Amino acid sequence: MAKAIGMIEFKTVSAGITAADQMVKAAQVEILEAQVVCPGKYIALISGELSAVKASVEVGISTRSDEYIDSFVLGNPDESIFAAIYGSAIVEGVDALGVLETYDASAIIVAADTAAKTANVTLIELRIAKGMCGKSYMLITGEVAACEAAIEKAKASVGEGGMFLDSSVIAAPDSQIIKNIV
């Protein structure tokens, strides 16, 4: 796995594709995802060495700054982020359920990394602006106190950019809820 990941988010598809093209031409990075998300925004998630990811994201932002929404660069991201993004996380029981929702796509990945590094929690899912009018959310599980600590720290990281929407921690969620999310 790469030592860093980065992402850009643009208001328009045209700007996003143009910026993503410039990003991969500017530095040795790999596109993990580059796609349209709701409501017609465009995201590009890349990986590589930290310096290359930083340079690539900077180029992407400057390519179409007029349509730019948000971005991030994470050095040494928590490995569980990838399983949560791709819906392949293995969850063996849900003591408590933490939910955090954001207004944009970039903020939720940073929040998930923060949560995973804050407490002993498992990332269940990261829904990145697909079918949600541009909003995103994450689901975590663990002991109640761990979920509460992780959600609070993640909420603080998201709130810095004004992208926090809502959060909750549910102790002992009903089996019907668990069946529908795991």
Side-chain angles (χ1 to χ4, degrees), residues 52 61 63 75 110 113 126 129 131 133 172:
I61 293 167
T63 298
V110 173
D113 186 62
L126 285 175
C133 295

Side-chain angles (χ1 to χ4, degrees), residues 26-153:
Q28 189 172 348
V29 295
E30 177 185 351
I31 292 179
L32 299 176
E33 281 195 34
Q35 63 186 324
V36 177
V37 295
C38 294
K41 300 186 301 184
Y42 194 88
I43 62 169
L45 179 64
I46 59 169
S47 68
E49 296 295 322
L50 182 58
S51 59
V53 170
K54 282 182 178 178
S56 183
V57 168
E58 288 173 8
V59 166
I61 293 167
S62 67
T63 298
R64 290 295 300 268
S65 61
D66 54 326
E67 299 296 328
Y68 168 77
I69 295 173
D70 200 4
S71 65
F72 71 81
V73 173
L74 289 174
N76 296 313
D78 191 277
E79 288 293 319
S80 64
I81 287 175
F82 302 102
I85 288 172
Y86 299 117
S88 61
I90 297 171
V91 180
E92 295 187 12
V94 178
D95 295 330
L97 179 65
V99 184
L100 187 130
E101 192 172 352
T102 66
Y103 285 109
D104 77 343
S106 298
I108 201 65
I109 296 175
V110 173
D113 186 62
T114 300
K117 291 176 177 175
T118 296
N120 187 17
V121 295
T122 300
L123 294 171
I124 298 171
E125 181 181 5
L126 285 175
R127 177 71 57 95
I128 304 172
K130 296 175 187 169
M132 295 188 49
C133 295
K135 297 185 304 180
S136 298
Y137 70 86
M138 71 175 195
L139 301 174
I140 63 171
T141 188
E143 293 181 5
V144 174
C147 284
E148 288 173 343
I151 290 293
E152 281 307 308
K153 188 79 169 183

